[in-house]
Amino acid sequence: PRFMSHAHTFSEDCIIAKALRRQGIFPYETKDETGGERYMPFMPGHHYSYRMPRNPASDWYAKYSIDIKFGLDHCAAKSVAFHYAKGDAMKRMHAILYHLCPSR
C-alpha cells in the first residue's frame, strides 16, 4: 500500500503526516496564544521536567518540535490531550484540571 496503512510503528504520526501532505493537507499551529502546547506526547511530569539534550538531532521530540518552552510554560493552561495517559492518571488529571479534588 502506498500510504503504509498496514504499518504499526512508533512513527505512525510521521506516516500520517506524509500521507496528508501528498494530498495537499498541511498541519497548522495548535499552540495557545502564549506558545503553550495543547497536545502533548508525554505525561505532564515529563513535559515539566524536559530539557533540551546536548544533541537535539538525537532526540525525536527536540527534532520535530518548534520553539519548545520549558517547565511550567510548556503546557497550555487549557491543554487538550496527553498521549499515553491511562485510567487512574487520566481521572486524576481531570479532577485536578477541573478543581474536583477536595480541599484540605
Side-chain angles (χ1 to χ4, degrees):
R2 185 172 168 195
F3 295 131
M4 300 176 64
S5 59
H6 63 289
H8 294 282
T9 173
F10 68 91
S11 61
E12 57 202 15
D13 294 346
C14 293
I15 294 169
I16 290 170
K18 285 181 182 181
L20 292 171
R21 191 176 309 122
R22 288 180 185 157
Q23 299 299 313
I25 301 169
F26 299 93
Y28 60 91
E29 184 60 73
T30 59
K31 293 180 183 178
D32 71 5
E33 58 281 349
T34 67
E37 297 282 354
R38 288 187 173 116
Y39 298 90
M40 272 70 58
F42 310 116
M43 292 292 287
H46 182 90
H47 288 287
Y48 175 72
S49 63
Y50 181 83
R51 296 295 176 259
M52 188 68 70
R54 287 190 176 129
N55 178 9
S58 69
D59 180 78
W60 71 266
Y61 188 68
K63 185 176 178 181
Y64 292 108
S65 296
I66 300 169
D67 299 327
I68 299 175
K69 291 188 169 220
F70 300 96
L72 293 174
D73 294 330
H74 181 80
C75 300
K78 294 184 179 178
S79 295
V80 175
F82 291 92
H83 201 44
Y84 301 116
K86 297 205 176 5
D88 289 340
M90 193 178 302
K91 290 175 186 174
R92 183 72 179 145
M93 285 192 302
H94 177 83
I96 292 168
L97 290 171
Y98 295 100
H99 309 287
L100 302 175
C101 296
S103 58
R104 293 180 182 219

XYZ file of all heavy atoms in Angstrom:
852
model
N 0.819 -1.210 0.000
C 0.000 0.000 0.000
C 0.855 1.263 0.000
O 1.858 1.342 0.679
C -0.814 -0.118 1.279
C -0.830 -1.571 1.601
C 0.421 -2.126 1.027
N 0.410 2.212 -0.724
C 1.167 3.445 -0.917
C 1.377 4.232 0.375
O 2.423 4.823 0.579
C 0.433 4.301 -1.939
C 1.171 5.532 -2.309
C 0.481 6.213 -3.450
N 1.056 7.530 -3.603
C 0.523 8.477 -4.299
N -0.596 8.259 -4.943
N 1.088 9.643 -4.385
N 0.387 4.271 1.241
C 0.484 5.077 2.456
C 0.781 4.243 3.696
O 0.671 4.724 4.797
C -0.789 5.889 2.671
C -1.014 6.922 1.609
C -2.228 7.022 0.983
C 0.003 7.790 1.236
C -2.439 7.990 0.008
C -0.196 8.757 0.268
C -1.423 8.850 -0.349
N 1.124 2.989 3.531
C 1.511 2.100 4.631
C 0.427 2.002 5.704
O 0.723 2.009 6.892
C 2.835 2.572 5.242
C 3.978 2.585 4.260
S 5.499 3.254 4.938
C 5.889 2.077 6.198
N -0.806 1.902 5.293
C -1.908 1.836 6.268
C -1.839 0.585 7.133
O -2.439 0.540 8.203
C -3.254 1.885 5.545
O -3.341 0.785 4.640
N -1.106 -0.414 6.705
C -0.961 -1.658 7.448
C 0.119 -1.583 8.522
O 0.211 -2.457 9.370
C -0.617 -2.791 6.481
C 0.706 -2.565 5.803
N 0.877 -1.586 4.855
C 1.904 -3.150 5.974
C 2.141 -1.596 4.454
N 2.787 -2.526 5.120
N 0.938 -0.544 8.496
C 2.073 -0.452 9.410
C 1.631 -0.113 10.834
O 0.769 0.730 11.041
C 3.049 0.605 8.921
N 2.223 -0.792 11.795
C 2.013 -0.496 13.210
C 3.392 -0.181 13.782
O 4.171 -1.077 14.062
C 1.383 -1.690 13.938
C -0.001 -1.976 13.478
N -1.078 -1.227 13.884
C -0.480 -2.903 12.627
C -2.167 -1.693 13.305
N -1.830 -2.710 12.542
N 3.670 1.100 13.917
C 5.012 1.525 14.284
C 4.971 2.785 15.136
O 3.955 3.471 15.163
C 5.850 1.775 13.014
O 7.103 2.343 13.371
C 5.146 2.711 12.057
N 6.068 3.074 15.825
C 6.161 4.285 16.639
C 6.087 5.537 15.775
O 5.774 6.603 16.257
C 7.462 4.284 17.447
C 8.686 4.424 16.593
C 9.200 5.676 16.314
C 9.300 3.312 16.054
C 10.324 5.817 15.510
C 10.420 3.447 15.254
C 10.936 4.698 14.977
N 6.367 5.404 14.487
C 6.406 6.576 13.608
C 5.101 6.779 12.835
O 5.088 7.447 11.812
C 7.581 6.458 12.637
O 7.422 5.308 11.830
N 4.014 6.230 13.342
C 2.746 6.344 12.605
C 2.309 7.788 12.417
O 1.695 8.126 11.403
C 1.656 5.515 13.269
C 1.410 5.857 14.695
C 0.746 4.736 15.475
O 0.714 3.593 15.025
O 0.254 5.044 16.567
N 2.645 8.690 13.354
C 2.310 10.106 13.175
C 2.997 10.670 11.942
O 2.405 11.429 11.169
C 2.723 10.932 14.400
C 1.930 10.570 15.636
O 0.896 9.893 15.511
O 2.347 10.975 16.723
N 4.253 10.296 11.747
C 5.009 10.772 10.576
C 4.441 10.192 9.291
O 4.357 10.878 8.273
C 6.480 10.401 10.704
S 7.316 11.256 12.048
N 4.033 8.925 9.334
C 3.440 8.288 8.156
C 2.143 8.993 7.780
O 1.889 9.283 6.606
C 3.205 6.779 8.405
C 4.552 6.063 8.565
C 2.379 6.169 7.289
C 4.428 4.639 9.065
N 1.323 9.305 8.773
C 0.063 10.012 8.513
C 0.352 11.401 7.945
O -0.295 11.839 6.988
C -0.798 10.093 9.792
C -1.314 8.704 10.147
C -1.948 11.077 9.625
C -1.963 8.602 11.493
N 1.328 12.098 8.511
C 1.681 13.434 8.023
C 2.119 13.381 6.559
O 1.725 14.235 5.755
C 2.786 14.036 8.884
N 2.908 12.383 6.190
C 3.354 12.244 4.794
C 2.169 11.971 3.873
O 2.075 12.537 2.789
C 4.378 11.117 4.665
C 5.738 11.481 5.184
C 6.699 10.319 5.000
C 8.063 10.659 5.563
N 9.019 9.568 5.391
N 1.271 11.097 4.319
C 0.097 10.784 3.501
C -0.769 12.023 3.291
O -1.232 12.296 2.180
C -0.716 9.671 4.163
N -0.989 12.786 4.345
C -1.796 14.013 4.226
C -1.100 15.045 3.331
O -1.748 15.703 2.519
C -2.062 14.599 5.613
C -2.983 13.764 6.507
C -2.999 14.317 7.924
C -4.383 13.693 5.931
N 0.207 15.173 3.490
C 0.979 16.129 2.673
C 0.841 15.796 1.187
O 0.700 16.682 0.358
C 2.445 16.105 3.092
C 3.255 17.227 2.497
C 4.700 17.256 2.985
N 4.797 17.220 4.432
C 5.459 16.300 5.137
N 6.111 15.336 4.537
N 5.489 16.367 6.450
N 0.868 14.504 0.860
C 0.714 14.080 -0.544
C -0.648 14.477 -1.105
O -0.811 14.628 -2.304
C 0.898 12.571 -0.658
C 2.324 12.144 -0.486
C 2.452 10.646 -0.606
N 3.805 10.229 -0.323
C 4.143 9.016 0.071
N 3.205 8.094 0.218
N 5.388 8.713 0.310
N -1.614 14.642 -0.216
C -2.960 15.038 -0.634
C -3.170 16.548 -0.561
O -4.275 17.050 -0.762
C -4.005 14.325 0.228
C -3.958 12.825 0.125
C -4.211 12.336 -1.287
O -5.140 12.776 -1.945
N -3.366 11.440 -1.761
N -2.094 17.280 -0.228
C -2.187 18.742 -0.152
C -2.748 19.249 1.170
O -3.198 20.392 1.260
N -2.743 18.404 2.192
C -3.260 18.792 3.503
C -2.074 19.013 4.436
O -1.247 18.119 4.630
C -4.185 17.698 4.068
C -5.353 17.452 3.106
C -4.673 18.081 5.459
C -6.164 16.224 3.422
N -1.979 20.201 5.008
C -0.843 20.548 5.846
C -1.304 20.903 7.260
O -2.383 21.460 7.437
C -0.081 21.724 5.230
C 0.455 21.392 3.861
C -0.283 21.684 2.721
C 1.678 20.749 3.720
C 0.196 21.354 1.469
C 2.162 20.428 2.468
C 1.429 20.724 1.342
N -0.476 20.613 8.258
C -0.847 20.902 9.641
C -0.835 22.399 9.923
O -0.234 23.170 9.181
C 0.246 20.204 10.456
C 1.419 20.178 9.548
C 0.863 20.044 8.157
N -1.508 22.787 10.973
C -1.482 24.181 11.402
C -1.083 24.227 12.871
O -1.099 23.226 13.573
C -2.818 24.878 11.161
C -3.994 24.267 11.865
C -4.368 24.688 13.137
C -4.754 23.260 11.270
C -5.447 24.126 13.789
C -5.830 22.695 11.923
C -6.167 23.127 13.178
O -7.218 22.569 13.818
N -0.711 25.391 13.311
C -0.234 25.582 14.677
C -1.359 25.345 15.678
O -2.455 25.869 15.524
C 0.289 27.010 14.831
C 0.900 27.310 16.159
C 2.085 26.419 16.472
O 3.140 26.609 15.863
O 1.930 25.540 17.328
N -1.085 24.549 16.694
C -2.108 24.264 17.702
C -1.737 24.800 19.079
O -2.447 24.546 20.044
C -2.354 22.743 17.810
O -1.133 22.095 18.170
C -2.894 22.181 16.513
N -0.639 25.551 19.173
C -0.254 26.128 20.466
C -1.208 27.256 20.838
O -1.858 27.841 19.974
C 1.171 26.671 20.396
C 2.209 25.577 20.218
C 3.596 26.161 20.148
C 4.615 25.079 19.903
N 5.970 25.607 19.789
N -1.276 27.555 22.136
C -2.137 28.655 22.570
C -1.444 29.997 22.339
O -0.331 30.055 21.809
C -2.589 28.476 24.019
C -1.486 28.681 25.043
O -0.348 29.063 24.681
O -1.755 28.455 26.231
N -2.114 31.077 22.756
C -1.601 32.426 22.495
C -0.275 32.725 23.198
O 0.448 33.634 22.805
C -2.640 33.494 22.853
C -3.119 33.472 24.288
C -4.160 32.401 24.593
O -4.701 31.778 23.654
O -4.413 32.175 25.789
N 0.080 31.942 24.213
C 1.361 32.155 24.898
C 2.443 31.189 24.419
O 3.556 31.211 24.925
C 1.205 32.008 26.425
O 0.895 30.646 26.727
C 0.149 32.946 26.968
N 2.099 30.328 23.472
C 3.060 29.362 22.954
C 3.060 28.044 23.696
O 3.914 27.192 23.465
N 2.076 27.846 24.602
C 1.967 26.580 25.330
C 1.388 25.490 24.444
O 0.488 25.735 23.643
N 1.918 24.297 24.586
C 1.437 23.159 23.796
C 0.067 22.709 24.283
O -0.173 22.606 25.479
C 2.409 21.979 23.922
C 3.787 22.246 23.387
C 3.876 22.166 21.880
O 2.876 21.788 21.221
O 4.944 22.504 21.357
N -0.839 22.420 23.337
C -2.163 21.900 23.691
C -2.197 20.377 23.617
O -2.981 19.740 24.303
C -3.214 22.490 22.759
C -3.503 23.943 23.023
C -4.690 24.402 22.174
N -5.085 25.736 22.534
C -5.005 26.779 21.710
N -4.545 26.636 20.497
N -5.383 27.969 22.118
N -1.384 19.805 22.735
C -1.351 18.351 22.534
C 0.043 17.849 22.899
O 1.023 18.239 22.282
C -1.670 18.003 21.082
C -3.044 18.444 20.672
C -3.262 19.704 20.137
C -4.133 17.590 20.833
C -4.537 20.116 19.773
C -5.404 17.996 20.465
C -5.595 19.254 19.935
O -6.846 19.654 19.572
N 0.139 16.987 23.899
C 1.430 16.515 24.380
C 1.599 15.015 24.168
O 0.673 14.252 24.422
C 1.572 16.815 25.881
C 2.131 18.154 26.218
S 1.119 19.590 25.892
C -0.339 19.335 26.803
N 2.785 14.609 23.724
C 3.017 13.179 23.522
C 3.374 12.432 24.798
O 3.451 11.206 24.791
C 4.185 13.151 22.542
C 4.926 14.402 22.814
C 3.875 15.417 23.195
N 3.611 13.146 25.900
C 4.009 12.509 27.153
C 3.083 12.952 28.285
O 2.267 13.850 28.110
C 5.448 12.901 27.537
C 6.432 12.718 26.434
C 7.097 13.817 25.905
C 6.716 11.470 25.909
C 8.017 13.668 24.880
C 7.631 11.308 24.885
C 8.286 12.411 24.375
N 3.273 12.361 29.435
C 2.521 12.748 30.622
C 3.011 14.120 31.108
O 4.139 14.516 30.802
C 2.701 11.704 31.723
C 2.052 10.362 31.396
S 0.260 10.465 31.363
C -0.086 10.598 33.109
N 2.202 14.869 31.861
C 2.575 16.224 32.289
C 3.929 16.319 32.987
O 4.705 17.232 32.708
C 1.442 16.626 33.241
C 0.290 15.804 32.831
C 0.859 14.511 32.331
N 4.244 15.393 33.856
C 5.508 15.442 34.583
C 6.716 15.389 33.667
O 7.730 16.051 33.902
N 6.606 14.619 32.604
C 7.712 14.526 31.647
C 7.919 15.869 30.953
O 9.047 16.320 30.777
C 7.439 13.430 30.618
C 8.552 13.244 29.647
N 9.583 12.368 29.878
C 8.810 13.837 28.463
C 10.426 12.422 28.863
N 9.979 13.299 27.986
N 6.845 16.507 30.565
C 6.961 17.813 29.899
C 7.488 18.875 30.858
O 8.272 19.730 30.470
C 5.616 18.241 29.308
C 5.249 17.446 28.108
N 5.873 17.601 26.896
C 4.342 16.462 27.941
C 5.356 16.753 26.023
N 4.428 16.050 26.642
N 7.080 18.800 32.091
C 7.535 19.771 33.080
C 9.049 19.681 33.288
O 9.731 20.690 33.418
C 6.812 19.552 34.408
C 7.309 20.444 35.513
C 7.008 21.802 35.516
C 8.098 19.945 36.532
C 7.481 22.633 36.512
C 8.575 20.771 37.538
C 8.258 22.111 37.520
O 8.738 22.935 38.501
N 9.571 18.464 33.303
C 11.000 18.275 33.583
C 11.866 18.150 32.330
O 13.076 18.037 32.434
C 11.190 17.032 34.459
O 10.753 15.872 33.775
N 11.255 18.201 31.149
C 12.022 18.027 29.904
C 13.037 19.150 29.722
O 12.733 20.327 29.934
C 11.077 17.995 28.696
C 11.797 17.791 27.386
C 12.145 16.518 26.965
C 12.146 18.866 26.587
C 12.820 16.315 25.778
C 12.821 18.678 25.392
C 13.156 17.398 25.001
O 13.824 17.214 23.820
N 14.232 18.772 29.316
C 15.286 19.732 28.983
C 15.870 19.340 27.635
O 15.966 18.157 27.314
C 16.396 19.744 30.040
C 15.937 20.217 31.422
C 15.499 21.690 31.392
N 14.969 22.129 32.664
C 13.676 22.257 32.938
N 12.769 21.945 32.049
N 13.274 22.696 34.108
N 16.278 20.326 26.875
C 16.854 20.078 25.568
C 18.143 19.256 25.710
O 19.010 19.601 26.510
C 17.165 21.413 24.886
C 17.587 21.290 23.445
S 16.269 20.731 22.358
C 15.192 22.148 22.344
N 18.274 18.171 24.948
C 19.502 17.378 25.029
C 20.681 18.129 24.397
O 20.482 19.065 23.622
C 19.165 16.115 24.237
C 18.046 16.501 23.355
C 17.302 17.603 24.044
N 21.888 17.710 24.747
C 23.077 18.352 24.170
C 23.063 18.288 22.657
O 23.482 19.220 21.990
C 24.339 17.688 24.705
C 24.615 18.052 26.123
C 26.007 17.583 26.542
N 26.252 18.044 27.885
C 26.669 17.286 28.861
N 26.913 16.003 28.655
N 26.857 17.780 30.061
N 22.591 17.166 22.128
C 22.495 17.000 20.677
C 21.016 16.860 20.302
O 20.486 15.751 20.275
C 23.286 15.768 20.225
C 23.185 15.533 18.732
O 22.658 16.364 17.989
N 23.674 14.398 18.285
N 20.332 17.981 20.015
C 18.897 17.921 19.718
C 18.535 16.986 18.564
O 17.448 16.422 18.552
C 18.545 19.367 19.369
C 19.582 20.173 20.058
C 20.834 19.340 20.013
N 19.445 16.783 17.632
C 19.162 15.901 16.497
C 19.011 14.442 16.930
O 18.429 13.636 16.205
C 20.257 16.023 15.449
N 19.509 14.103 18.119
C 19.423 12.722 18.604
C 18.109 12.435 19.320
O 17.834 11.297 19.683
C 20.592 12.433 19.553
O 20.433 13.182 20.753
N 17.283 13.444 19.537
C 16.033 13.297 20.282
C 14.862 13.657 19.370
O 14.761 14.780 18.886
C 16.069 14.241 21.495
C 14.823 14.150 22.327
O 14.701 13.172 23.099
O 13.974 15.048 22.227
N 13.963 12.708 19.120
C 12.881 12.963 18.162
C 12.004 14.131 18.594
O 11.526 14.888 17.752
C 12.044 11.703 17.912
C 11.170 11.301 19.062
C 11.468 10.419 20.039
C 9.859 11.794 19.352
N 10.421 10.329 20.926
C 9.412 11.159 20.529
C 9.001 12.715 18.736
C 8.176 11.403 21.094
C 7.775 12.960 19.311
C 7.365 12.310 20.462
N 11.781 14.281 19.888
C 10.908 15.366 20.342
C 11.540 16.724 20.048
O 10.886 17.627 19.529
C 10.599 15.207 21.835
C 9.556 16.192 22.311
C 8.248 16.090 21.871
C 9.885 17.220 23.180
C 7.288 16.991 22.288
C 8.931 18.121 23.606
C 7.635 18.003 23.150
O 6.696 18.905 23.556
N 12.811 16.865 20.347
C 13.525 18.115 20.067
C 13.630 18.348 18.565
O 13.503 19.479 18.090
C 14.917 18.077 20.692
N 13.805 17.280 17.824
C 13.989 17.372 16.369
C 12.716 17.845 15.659
O 12.780 18.644 14.731
C 14.419 16.007 15.834
C 14.745 15.982 14.372
C 15.238 14.607 13.980
C 15.524 14.531 12.507
N 15.992 13.191 12.124
N 11.561 17.373 16.110
C 10.313 17.677 15.406
C 9.479 18.789 16.049
O 8.456 19.175 15.514
C 9.459 16.415 15.270
C 10.082 15.399 14.342
C 10.636 14.229 14.830
C 10.144 15.634 12.976
C 11.221 13.302 13.982
C 10.724 14.715 12.122
C 11.262 13.552 12.630
O 11.840 12.649 11.787
N 9.899 19.309 17.185
C 9.146 20.375 17.858
C 9.692 21.739 17.444
O 10.870 21.878 17.132
C 9.243 20.221 19.373
O 8.633 19.022 19.774
N 8.820 22.729 17.476
C 9.204 24.096 17.109
C 9.055 24.990 18.332
O 8.010 24.999 18.977
C 8.312 24.610 15.961
C 8.473 23.698 14.736
C 8.645 26.055 15.625
C 7.458 23.942 13.648
N 10.099 25.745 18.637
C 10.071 26.700 19.754
C 9.568 26.069 21.057
O 8.583 26.526 21.641
C 9.211 27.920 19.405
C 9.750 28.682 18.215
O 10.979 28.711 18.036
O 8.945 29.246 17.465
N 10.256 25.045 21.511
C 9.872 24.359 22.752
C 10.031 25.299 23.943
O 11.039 25.968 24.089
C 10.752 23.115 22.981
C 10.582 22.122 21.846
C 10.411 22.465 24.319
C 11.516 20.928 21.944
N 9.012 25.330 24.774
C 9.097 26.050 26.051
C 9.373 25.011 27.130
O 9.089 23.830 26.951
C 7.799 26.785 26.336
C 7.578 27.945 25.394
C 6.387 28.753 25.841
C 6.366 30.036 25.055
N 6.005 31.167 25.851
N 9.885 25.469 28.257
C 10.279 24.528 29.301
C 9.564 24.830 30.608
O 9.080 25.933 30.825
C 11.796 24.581 29.486
C 12.526 24.211 28.225
C 12.975 25.198 27.362
C 12.712 22.893 27.885
C 13.617 24.864 26.180
C 13.351 22.553 26.701
C 13.812 23.538 25.853
N 9.518 23.819 31.483
C 8.911 23.984 32.798
C 7.419 24.254 32.714
O 6.711 23.693 31.871
N 6.949 25.121 33.585
C 5.512 25.421 33.652
C 4.979 26.092 32.398
O 3.771 26.060 32.141
C 5.225 26.307 34.864
C 5.436 25.652 36.225
C 5.248 26.679 37.336
C 4.499 24.473 36.417
N 5.838 26.696 31.598
C 5.393 27.374 30.378
C 5.120 26.412 29.235
O 4.520 26.791 28.238
C 6.448 28.388 29.918
C 6.601 29.536 30.891
O 5.609 29.876 31.563
O 7.714 30.082 30.974
N 5.558 25.171 29.368
C 5.437 24.235 28.241
C 3.986 23.886 27.909
O 3.577 23.961 26.763
C 6.221 22.942 28.510
C 6.142 21.989 27.370
N 6.925 22.131 26.252
C 5.339 20.938 27.146
C 6.614 21.179 25.386
N 5.657 20.445 25.912
N 3.226 23.466 28.900
C 1.850 23.010 28.662
C 0.874 24.181 28.725
O 0.937 25.004 29.628
C 1.451 21.970 29.701
S 2.504 20.505 29.701
N -0.033 24.241 27.765
C -1.049 25.286 27.742
C -1.958 25.149 28.961
O -2.213 24.039 29.441
C -1.886 25.175 26.463
N -2.449 26.269 29.440
C -3.378 26.248 30.572
C -4.623 25.436 30.228
O -5.219 24.795 31.089
C -3.759 27.668 30.966
N -5.011 25.451 28.975
C -6.161 24.669 28.515
C -5.679 23.571 27.569
O -6.055 23.520 26.400
C -7.183 25.580 27.843
C -7.803 26.568 28.812
C -8.865 27.399 28.166
C -9.459 28.352 29.193
N -10.470 29.219 28.612
N -4.844 22.684 28.098
C -4.325 21.564 27.324
C -5.471 20.665 26.895
O -6.477 20.540 27.592
C -3.323 20.766 28.153
O -2.193 21.550 28.445
N -5.301 20.027 25.747
C -6.351 19.181 25.204
C -6.068 17.701 25.439
O -6.957 16.956 25.831
C -6.530 19.446 23.691
C -7.526 18.487 23.072
C -6.944 20.886 23.453
N -4.811 17.280 25.226
C -4.533 15.847 25.316
C -3.108 15.561 25.757
O -2.182 16.272 25.393
C -4.776 15.194 23.957
N -2.986 14.492 26.542
C -1.699 13.939 26.928
C -1.697 12.499 26.447
O -2.493 11.690 26.912
C -1.494 13.993 28.439
C -1.319 15.379 28.973
C -2.411 16.113 29.421
C -0.068 15.966 29.009
C -2.253 17.400 29.906
C 0.098 17.258 29.487
C -0.994 17.973 29.938
N -0.824 12.189 25.511
C -0.735 10.840 24.955
C -0.249 9.888 26.042
O 0.509 10.273 26.917
C 0.247 10.874 23.784
C 0.090 9.746 22.827
N -1.130 9.304 22.381
C 1.009 8.981 22.208
C -0.950 8.321 21.522
N 0.341 8.105 21.410
N -0.677 8.658 25.985
C -0.276 7.610 26.927
C -0.858 7.766 28.322
O -0.457 7.062 29.236
C 1.247 7.473 27.024
C 1.898 7.145 25.706
C 2.779 8.029 25.109
C 1.614 5.959 25.048
C 3.375 7.742 23.899
C 2.198 5.659 23.829
C 3.082 6.556 23.263
O 3.660 6.272 22.053
N -1.783 8.687 28.535
C -2.436 8.801 29.840
C -3.442 7.656 29.962
O -4.311 7.500 29.125
C -3.121 10.141 29.983
N -3.312 6.884 31.009
C -4.186 5.728 31.177
C -5.035 5.856 32.440
O -4.668 6.571 33.370
C -3.339 4.469 31.265
C -2.539 4.191 30.006
C -2.240 2.735 29.894
C -1.546 2.259 28.688
N -1.048 2.956 27.690
N -6.161 5.200 32.435
C -7.070 5.043 33.557
C -6.987 6.024 34.702
O -7.505 7.136 34.633
N -6.350 5.593 35.790
C -6.291 6.400 37.007
C -5.607 7.745 36.789
O -6.031 8.758 37.342
C -5.586 5.641 38.128
C -6.419 4.491 38.669
O -7.651 4.514 38.452
O -5.851 3.576 39.294
N -4.533 7.765 35.996
C -3.829 9.027 35.737
C -4.746 10.006 35.003
O -4.767 11.203 35.299
C -2.563 8.787 34.921
N -5.542 9.505 34.066
C -6.455 10.367 33.322
C -7.537 10.932 34.248
O -7.854 12.124 34.192
C -7.098 9.574 32.183
C -7.807 10.436 31.171
S -8.502 9.496 29.796
C -7.061 8.679 29.154
N -8.065 10.103 35.121
C -9.089 10.557 36.067
C -8.520 11.596 37.026
O -9.165 12.600 37.331
C -9.638 9.371 36.860
C -10.493 8.436 36.029
C -10.897 7.219 36.825
C -11.617 6.215 35.957
N -11.889 4.966 36.656
N -7.288 11.376 37.477
C -6.650 12.315 38.403
C -6.406 13.666 37.729
O -6.664 14.717 38.313
C -5.336 11.718 38.908
C -4.636 12.572 39.918
C -5.372 12.534 41.237
N -4.645 13.355 42.191
C -5.203 14.081 43.123
N -6.499 14.050 43.280
N -4.498 14.806 43.930
N -5.897 13.636 36.482
C -5.668 14.897 35.756
C -6.976 15.653 35.565
O -7.027 16.867 35.713
C -5.007 14.631 34.397
C -3.546 14.283 34.516
S -2.650 14.308 32.955
C -3.534 13.150 31.970
N -8.040 14.931 35.242
C -9.349 15.562 35.065
C -9.782 16.242 36.367
O -10.242 17.390 36.359
C -10.372 14.509 34.635
C -11.754 15.043 34.490
N -12.176 15.689 33.352
C -12.805 15.039 35.343
C -13.438 16.061 33.514
N -13.840 15.681 34.707
N -9.615 15.537 37.478
C -10.013 16.084 38.778
C -9.204 17.333 39.130
O -9.753 18.319 39.629
C -9.838 15.022 39.861
N -7.914 17.305 38.852
C -7.061 18.463 39.144
C -7.420 19.641 38.250
O -7.600 20.766 38.717
C -5.574 18.089 38.994
C -5.174 17.116 40.100
C -4.692 19.341 39.027
C -3.823 16.459 39.889
N -7.543 19.374 36.953
C -7.825 20.457 35.997
C -9.178 21.120 36.236
O -9.331 22.314 36.025
C -7.763 19.926 34.562
C -6.375 19.560 34.060
C -6.477 18.837 32.727
C -5.510 20.805 33.931
N -10.159 20.343 36.670
C -11.500 20.891 36.849
C -11.861 21.100 38.316
O -13.033 21.183 38.674
C -12.514 20.011 36.120
C -12.266 20.061 34.631
C -11.586 19.040 33.981
C -12.638 21.183 33.890
C -11.322 19.110 32.626
C -12.373 21.270 32.536
C -11.712 20.229 31.918
O -11.435 20.305 30.583
N -10.828 21.193 39.160
C -10.987 21.516 40.572
C -11.991 20.615 41.287
O -12.840 21.067 42.050
C -11.393 22.988 40.737
C -10.501 23.916 39.984
N -9.210 24.195 40.378
C -10.671 24.581 38.826
C -8.649 25.008 39.512
N -9.520 25.263 38.557
N -11.896 19.325 41.030
C -12.786 18.357 41.647
C -12.147 17.667 42.850
O -12.766 16.788 43.464
C -13.204 17.295 40.622
C -13.906 17.867 39.377
C -14.161 16.746 38.370
C -15.189 18.567 39.746
N -10.934 18.071 43.183
C -10.240 17.486 44.344
C -10.747 18.169 45.611
O -10.936 19.383 45.628
C -8.728 17.689 44.221
S -8.037 16.836 42.813
N -10.928 17.394 46.676
C -11.376 18.030 47.917
C -10.283 18.950 48.468
O -9.110 18.673 48.351
C -11.612 16.835 48.845
C -10.863 15.704 48.251
C -10.760 15.981 46.777
N -10.706 20.065 49.039
C -9.729 20.969 49.638
C -9.362 20.452 51.014
O -10.164 19.799 51.675
C -10.284 22.396 49.723
O -11.463 22.382 50.475
N -8.194 20.789 51.474
C -7.728 20.286 52.774
C -8.189 21.164 53.885
O -8.435 22.265 53.844
C -6.209 20.233 52.789
C -5.730 19.191 51.809
C -4.223 19.133 51.830
N -3.821 18.156 50.849
C -2.840 17.313 51.011
N -2.138 17.333 52.094
N -2.533 16.462 50.086
